[in-house]
Amino acid sequence: MGIKVQLRKTAIAAGVAQVAMLAASSAWAQQASAEQEAPAAAVVTVTGQRAALNSAQKIKQQSDEIVDSIVAEDIGKLPDKSVTEVLQRVVGVTIDRMLAKGDDEHFSVEGSGVSIRGLNYVRSELNGRDSFSANGGRALNFEDVPPELMAGVDVYKSPSAEQIEGAVGGLVNLRTAMPFDFKGFKFGASLDTTYSELRKDRDTPSGSVLVSHRWKTGLGEFGALIDVASSNSKVRTDGFQVDAYFPRDDVKPGSRVWVPKAAQWRTMTYDRERDGIYGALQWKLNNELKSSLTYFKSKYKIHWDENAVFASAEPYRVKPSADTVYDANGVMLVGTLETPNSTGINFGNDTRSADRESSTTDLAWNAEWRPSQAWTLSADVQRIRARTAAFDSLIATGILVPKERLDLTRGVPHITFDDADRAFLVDPKNYFWDFTMEHRDASVANETAWRTDAKYTFDHPVLRDLRFGVRMTDRDSLNTNSNPSYNWAAVSEPWMLGSQIGQLASLGDPRFAGGASLRTFPNYFNGDAPAPPPMLFPDVALTTGYPGSYAKLHSYHEILCAEFGSTCQPWKPAEWGTNPAGINRQEEKTKALYTQLRFGWDDLPYPVDGNVGVRYVRTNMKAAGYVTFTPPANLVPPGYTVIGPAVPQIPAYAEARDYERSYGNVLPSLNLRMKVNDRLQLRLAFSKGISRPDFSQLQGYTSLSQSITASPDAASQQLVVSSNNLTGTASGNPYLKPVSSKQLDLTAEYYWSQVGSFTVALFNKDLKDIIIKQLSTFTVDDTSGNPQEFVVDSPVNGAKGRARGIELAYQQYFDQLSDMLPGWLSGFGVQANFTYVDSEKDLYNPVFQEYCSGGSTQSNLNMALNGCDTDGRTFGNLPLEGLSKRAANLAFMYDKGPWSARVAYAWRSKSLLTASGTRGGEALDTNPASPTFGQRNLNWSLPVWTDQYGQVDASLFYKINEHMTFGLEGTNLTDAIFRQVMQQHIGMKGRAWFASGPRYSAKLRVNF
């Protein structure tokens, strides 16, 4: 069991500051020593890890823009197991740890989304060209890309006019090797295997092979490269969850205490296959004419199985035991949740199986011609196709558990049961078939891109070159979802008793027996928490046996309905590909042109160079949509007279709609660099950027509904209407504008050796047209021809904001300090960086209200945007989602002789995961002005945050000979626990805890 490491943010900041001081002192010491000793400095030969850092430092130092890079130290050897994990080492970059956007219940071991300087408006490129995954978004899922195929990763933080638009947070460019990168023949191969300590299992060996060669012929020089990679991963995650705390005035006389309604747990096994192939051909006739052709394909396949317990209880029927311990604020710490006034806590024991296959294929051709010393012309054509398809299946048994005991005073919750309850939990007679839920989605996206660029090089002391060009793209996207997206359907539920069925579909009934097995939880949380008790869960054969297994289970419901004498609707699978609600088809075409001037004053006391330019892009998009309205039956009972506002008679409405939108953006940019001396340089950058909405946000489907608030009087046959409610929900908004940003950067960069630098960056991004959920209107004529306005809940460009902060980065090897660190000790080095980001979001039309309320008006948006506590109060003042105020990396390195090692720690502070996270009903109305004050009649929705998280990884490699290297790697060596917290007025309370355990790898690399 690893030691849990939790560095406080102040300690990290202080550590980075001390490292920076060490950097300065050692740099000045080196400079003084060099000045005192006339002999030339010894040449240090850099290889492996040190060579990679040297290359990355050169890229940053020599770039026209502000950029940070990571370079592969060898063929197939980026420093982490996924591109996502590689990116988290870059200053200003943080990664998400949940499995998918919008999923706050499943942990991702290798990370998922990427944010740069706190913003998730990130563009992705492959070799300087657009690249994306077919997920309804615009960027790559970086975890889909084999890191073994990458030669390096560049993160651009200040754009120039010649770069493709779309990066507000930043641009991530993935670089592959080209044949002409090598002097001649090159062969490289790697083989590795990984063991998961939590899962107690080893994955299938992973490997990669690269072969490259170049030839000189009478027709010019040719080069060819092929790179193939296959990677497998087997991991497990365990999790605890605690539900919201409710205010209770009925537990301790004279005081209010806060009690969670239930707690639950889960475990998931996750298998991932990631394959990639990359090929490149290069040709050059001479220095005047050259061309290249590249092919890249990545395939990503996952399968996971989960056993999870979802506890459901009426919060005010749960009673804490008499021995319950509370903190100073009355919040429950230790106690037993009992249910003396109900049938028990409903445990839904679900088995869930999910599969997803994704692929991205990229074919690109480039040609460059230099007709003269001054002119360079190039043309580039690209075709990209991305696909993804998924199926998600969940089946649950149910059991009504009398009680559960919680201890929330430890690092992770302890949920325990007494002997009687444990015996109760293994008896099949106490279980019933609960529900099923299936989901399916598929997406395909295509893009054809063409660009032509020209560069004129000046023979001038100030003007360097003038660049200009055009780029045109044609992109289409088709996303299909099952409808309902997640088709939840009950088999037998306690709430059905007495209305639909007379008994539950008990597993103790021979008619309904079979299909479930006893499941244990070995090595749970690596032994850091008591293992949950054995329980019955549906077999995986049922979740993977859709639709036949579903039909069989729902036939039990039909049997019970027939026995009870009721008429029940038969189960229907979710619709697929036939309902407009599940189809999102879009086309987008762009035309861009730019011009950019590079300049430099080398003769100034402090030389200045840079570039200034402007990019103009015109975007034309089309979306196929649908608007539907089905009138409710008997809104006004027959024979009744309406008293109050007239109830409009609105006919059924269904209309296919094609949406079109066109907009242009002018994007200026300026990048300046001043060289104070050979070691110190300063940068200033200003630019305007845009980030287009995701395709999932542009869907044109809207569903309208009508209801009334009324009181019927049967005696007088009158219907007293107080309000007409015309509402709707839009899946997206085809008229969304891009999020735009005005960006200012100031940096200072000090370099004193091949791998020695200290940099500081100040940045500010003023954001406009942030996309949020808010209200709009949609008009439909009633039967009298009068327009009726529906208030529609839809995404809109409804806010502005900012993100500003500072980045500090330092790296150095200490071999120059031979007097201080003689012999083998001189191989040590260190890398450290720290990022601070402050953010703000201001709504164009604020919806904040102090207290929550119901209904379908702005009050619901108040809850969606500001959250709502279980005591009926909202929060407000929430930051941008996904933004950590602080993030840090610290790595200790060693390179000497045949040995190379690294111990790296990555940390980020808490960040808002979602403003509307865990939610439910029966919140207490505490608004003194409310007519329902004191009633438990409101919905609640709590903001969920990811807590601060840090993880230690390490590697040790030994170079056996010139061609062969063997190494060991460890991931999450401290067995760190990933934690979520939910925001309540009693404080940040633990919502979820996830453990993935350490992983250990052995790797062999061969190069010729």
Side-chain angles (χ1 to χ4, degrees):
M1 181 176 65
I3 301 173
K4 304 298 186 293
V5 176
Q6 293 293 332
L7 295 180
R8 304 300 299 171
K9 58 190 179 186
T10 52
I12 291 177
V16 172
Q18 291 176 13
V19 166
M21 292 171 63
L22 176 61
S25 62
S26 70
W28 288 115
Q30 293 172 41
Q31 186 174 10
S33 176
E35 291 171 353
Q36 293 170 9
E37 299 177 13
V43 176
V44 179
T45 302
V46 294
T47 59
Q49 181 174 244
R50 188 185 302 212
L53 295 175
N54 179 28
S55 298
Q57 180 172 296
K58 283 183 179 178
I59 292 172
K60 179 177 182 66
Q61 185 175 5
Q62 298 172 5
S63 173
D64 286 351
E65 295 82 30
I66 298 172
V67 61
D68 289 287
S69 297
I70 292 181
V71 177
E73 63 183 80
D74 209 339
I75 295 173
K77 183 59 179 76
L78 281 174
D80 290 283
K81 287 188 167 294
S82 72
V83 172
T84 312
E85 291 175 297
V86 169
L87 286 166
Q88 73 175 328
R89 311 294 179 192
V90 177
V91 62
V93 178
T94 54
I95 65 173
D96 299 331
R97 288 282 180 178
M98 303 314 296
L99 198 58
K101 187 176 181 179
D103 182 353
D104 60 358
E105 295 187 339
H106 298 96
F107 180 73
S108 173
V109 173
E110 293 183 337
S112 52
V114 170
S115 296
I116 299 177
R117 292 177 167 175
L119 302 176
N120 56 15
Y121 310 118
V122 177
R123 266 201 71 247
S124 56
E125 291 185 350
L126 178 66
N127 295 323
R129 303 180 182 95
D130 207 10
S131 191
F132 51 83
S133 300
N135 56 2
R138 292 188 175 272
L140 273 171
N141 288 334
F142 292 108
E143 65 271 25
D144 295 359
V145 179
E148 298 87 353
L149 302 184
M150 296 297 110
V153 180
D154 305 317
V155 179
Y156 288 88
K157 299 172 181 177
S158 68
S160 60
E162 66 179 335
Q163 290 180 337
I164 303 171
E165 72 284 345
V168 166
L171 163 65
V172 177
N173 180 40
L174 308 181
R175 287 184 287 108
T176 57
M178 297 293 285
F180 290 172
D181 292 344
F182 307 106
K183 293 181 179 180
F185 175 78
K186 186 67 176 179
F187 173 85
S190 67
L191 184 68
D192 68 89
T193 185
T194 301
Y195 176 80
S196 168
E197 183 175 311
L198 183 63
R199 186 165 174 173
K200 302 296 183 185
D201 197 6
R202 180 176 62 86
D203 61 30
T204 303
S206 303
S208 66
V209 177
L210 178 145
V211 181
S212 179
H213 202 16
R214 56 194 295 181
W215 306 268
K216 290 185 177 180
T217 73
L219 299 176
E221 187 171 8
F222 291 85
L225 180 150
I226 184 74
D227 196 355
V228 180
S230 180
S231 171
N232 301 277
S233 177
K234 290 185 176 181
V235 296
R236 190 182 103 190
T237 58
D238 296 336
F240 284 112
Q241 284 183 321
V242 174
D243 283 339
Y245 291 75
F246 282 78
R248 301 290 297 272
D249 300 321
D250 57 341
V251 173
K252 291 182 66 176
S255 62
R256 170 173 288 182
V257 296
W258 294 77
V259 180
K261 67 174 183 177
Q264 53 242 346
W265 60 93
R266 65 177 67 220
T267 186
M268 180 180 76
T269 57
Y270 180 93
D271 297 337
R272 184 263 296 158
E273 298 177 18
R274 185 170 55 211
D275 300 318
I277 182 170
Y278 165 68
L281 298 174
Q282 277 185 294
W283 168 79
K284 65 176 181 179
L285 180 64
N286 46 42
N287 290 331
E288 297 174 357
L289 185 62
K290 58 185 177 180
S291 181
S292 65
L293 179 69
T294 59
Y295 174 83
F296 181 92
K297 182 166 187 177
S298 65
K299 295 175 64 179
Y300 187 81
K301 182 179 180 180
I302 62 170
H303 172 84
W304 52 267
D305 295 313
E306 179 184 56
N307 289 124
V309 172
F310 288 94
S312 175
E314 297 179 59
Y316 293 97
R317 291 195 175 190
V318 173
K319 181 179 179 181
S321 57
D323 63 348
T324 297
V325 178
Y326 303 92
D327 69 10
N329 295 320
V331 180
M332 176 180 169
L333 297 175
V334 182
T336 302
L337 301 180
E338 302 172 337
T339 55
N341 300 320
S342 68
T343 54
I345 302 173
N346 189 351
F347 275 12
N349 296 4
D350 81 59
T351 297
R352 186 173 182 178
S353 300
D355 293 272
R356 178 172 294 278
E357 292 190 35
S358 304
S359 67
T360 297
T361 305
D362 184 298
L363 180 65
W365 170 79
N366 177 270
E368 183 180 299
W369 177 41
R370 294 188 63 190
S372 68
Q373 290 295 320
W375 283 98
T376 302
L377 307 176
S378 66
D380 196 279
V381 179
Q382 178 196 24
R383 174 68 176 175
I384 185 169
R385 183 174 181 84
R387 291 178 173 272
T388 188
F391 182 72
D392 188 347
S393 173
L394 185 154
I395 296 176
T397 57
I399 184 171
L400 298 172
V401 182
K403 60 184 180 298
E404 62 176 339
R405 185 165 183 82
L406 306 184
D407 183 348
L408 304 174
T409 62
R410 305 168 186 263
V412 296
H414 285 202
I415 305 176
T416 54
F417 299 84
D418 60 27
D419 291 341
D421 290 334
R422 296 177 74 90
F424 183 85
L425 291 171
V426 297
D427 189 347
K429 296 192 300 294
N430 298 321
Y431 287 84
F432 56 91
W433 290 107
D434 197 346
F435 65 89
T436 65
M437 184 174 70
E438 81 273 20
H439 164 80
R440 184 179 174 188
D441 67 73
S443 299
V444 59
N446 302 281
E447 181 178 280
T448 301
W450 167 79
R451 67 179 295 173
T452 295
D453 300 89
K455 180 175 74 172
Y456 181 80
T457 302
F458 296 99
D459 182 11
H460 192 273
V462 174
L463 303 179
R464 300 285 170 81
D465 60 60
L466 176 68
R467 305 180 184 193
F468 53 93
V470 297
R471 180 175 184 265
M472 301 174 67
T473 69
D474 188 348
R475 182 169 176 175
D476 61 78
S477 173
L478 174 62
N479 301 279
T480 306
N481 249 296
S482 51
N483 187 59
S485 180
Y486 287 87
N487 186 34
W488 187 92
V491 177
S492 65
E493 289 274 3
W495 51 263
M496 293 179 171
L497 294 172
S499 60
Q500 296 184 28
I501 57 179
Q503 68 176 75
L504 299 172
S506 170
L507 273 70
D509 189 323
R511 298 174 299 172
F512 312 132
S517 304
L518 201 65
R519 175 76 162 84
T520 59
F521 299 85
N523 194 37
Y524 200 69
F525 267 75
N526 257 339
D528 288 347
M535 300 180 73
L536 263 69
F537 287 86
D539 295 335
V540 170
L542 292 181
T543 56
T544 58
Y546 176 90
S549 57
Y550 278 51
K552 181 179 179 180
L553 291 174
H554 285 283
S555 71
Y556 301 164
H557 181 241
E558 296 176 14
I559 292 172
L560 294 173
C561 282
E563 289 180 351
F564 189 69
S566 62
T567 301
C568 298
Q569 293 293 325
W571 170 75
K572 291 182 180 180
E575 297 176 307
W576 174 251
T578 58
N579 192 309
I583 300 174
N584 181 14
R585 187 189 306 273
Q586 295 178 45
E587 298 177 9
E588 182 180 88
K589 296 182 179 181
T590 68
K591 298 177 182 179
L593 56 90
Y594 77 91
T595 182
Q596 177 177 300
L597 176 67
R598 294 178 67 246
F599 53 83
W601 289 273
D602 295 334
D603 296 331
L604 294 176
Y606 302 108
V608 174
D609 60 14
N611 62 67
V612 61
V614 62
R615 186 179 188 90
Y616 175 78
V617 58
R618 167 65 58 176
T619 304
N620 298 287
M621 64 84 60
K622 294 181 180 180
Y626 211 81
V627 181
T628 179
F629 170 73
T630 301
N634 297 323
L635 195 61
V636 177
Y640 274 63
T641 302
V642 173
I643 305 297
V647 178
Q649 302 296 309
I650 304 174
Y653 181 84
E655 180 186 8
R657 286 198 168 193
D658 290 328
Y659 299 88
E660 295 189 18
R661 176 163 170 73
S662 178
Y663 54 88
N665 297 98
V666 178
L667 307 173
S669 63
L670 171 68
N671 290 277
L672 294 175
R673 177 178 58 173
M674 175 189 288
K675 296 181 180 178
V676 179
N677 54 43
D678 290 341
R679 298 187 174 194
L680 176 63
Q681 61 185 30
L682 308 176
R683 294 182 186 268
L684 181 147
F686 169 79
S687 62
K688 182 178 180 181
I690 62 168
S691 180
R692 297 184 181 93
D694 287 345
F695 288 102
S696 59
Q697 296 173 308
L698 294 168
Q699 183 174 3
Y701 180 81
T702 301
S703 176
L704 306 176
S705 60
Q706 179 184 16
S707 65
I708 60 174
T709 303
S711 302
D713 186 340
S716 63
Q717 293 283 288
Q718 291 182 335
L719 185 69
V720 181
V721 176
S722 56
S723 66
N724 288 297
N725 307 314
L726 302 178
T727 60
T729 299
S731 301
N733 181 356
Y735 296 118
L736 288 174
K737 296 181 290 186
V739 177
S740 64
S741 173
K742 292 181 179 178
Q743 306 166 158
L744 180 65
D745 297 82
L746 294 169
T747 74
E749 303 166 9
Y750 186 69
Y751 304 95
W752 59 83
S753 68
Q754 290 178 308
V755 186
S757 64
F758 176 66
T759 63
V760 180
L762 300 172
F763 59 89
N764 181 77
K765 296 176 183 287
D766 289 324
L767 304 171
K768 181 182 176 183
D769 294 330
I770 299 171
I771 298 171
I772 62 170
K773 184 177 287 188
Q774 218 165 59
L775 299 178
S776 59
T777 59
F778 189 92
T779 303
V780 176
D781 288 344
D782 61 21
T783 54
S784 302
N786 298 316
Q788 300 293 333
E789 283 195 347
F790 287 78
V791 180
V792 178
D793 175 5
S794 65
V796 298
N797 297 105
K800 61 180 180 179
R802 61 167 174 79
R804 62 179 59 152
I806 184 172
E807 296 173 345
L808 305 173
Y810 159 70
Q811 66 178 13
Q812 181 179 13
Y813 277 92
F814 298 107
D815 45 15
Q816 287 94 350
L817 306 180
S818 56
D819 294 338
M820 299 173 57
L821 298 171
W824 65 272
L825 290 174
S826 62
F828 282 103
V830 65
Q831 266 190 317
N833 63 59
F834 176 79
T835 305
Y836 175 82
V837 186
D838 184 39
S839 72
E840 185 179 278
K841 182 174 70 176
D842 297 315
L843 272 61
Y844 295 154
N845 299 299
V847 297
F848 176 77
Q849 299 173 13
E850 183 180 357
Y851 294 97
C852 314
S853 58
S856 301
T857 57
Q858 228 168 353
S859 56
N860 269 7
L861 290 177
N862 181 38
M863 181 176 69
L865 296 174
N866 301 306
C868 179
D869 206 345
T870 54
D871 67 352
R873 292 185 291 164
T874 57
F875 300 98
N877 240 358
L878 297 174
L880 296 171
E881 292 184 2
L883 186 148
S884 290
K885 274 197 170 184
R886 297 169 180 85
N889 285 279
L890 181 62
F892 295 101
M893 304 171 294
Y894 184 81
D895 278 279
K896 193 76 171 180
W899 293 99
S900 179
R902 182 188 73 155
V903 179
Y905 180 72
W907 174 88
R908 64 179 295 183
S909 64
K910 76 177 190 297
S911 63
L912 180 63
L913 182 63
T914 173
S916 180
T918 178
R919 49 194 175 271
E922 296 191 75
L924 181 66
D925 187 352
T926 57
N927 183 0
S930 171
T932 60
F933 174 78
Q935 297 183 22
R936 301 160 181 166
N937 61 345
L938 299 178
N939 292 327
W940 54 271
S941 180
L942 302 182
V944 173
W945 300 65
T946 60
D947 205 358
Q948 62 170 335
Y949 179 76
Q951 180 174 301
V952 175
D953 307 321
S955 63
L956 174 66
F957 282 86
Y958 179 77
K959 193 170 185 178
I960 300 171
N961 55 42
E962 185 180 352
H963 303 294
M964 188 175 297
T965 303
F966 176 77
L968 301 174
E969 297 178 324
T971 305
N972 192 18
L973 293 178
T974 54
D975 195 11
I977 304 299
F978 184 84
R979 185 169 176 257
Q980 294 175 353
V981 292
M982 50 192 173
Q983 185 173 349
Q984 298 198 246
H985 285 95
I986 51 174
M988 292 288 188
K989 312 308 297 180
R991 163 59 179 165
W993 296 253
F994 295 98
S996 58
R999 291 175 290 148
Y1000 308 102
S1001 302
K1003 175 173 284 189
L1004 180 66
R1005 299 201 308 266
V1006 178
N1007 286 287
F1008 294 97

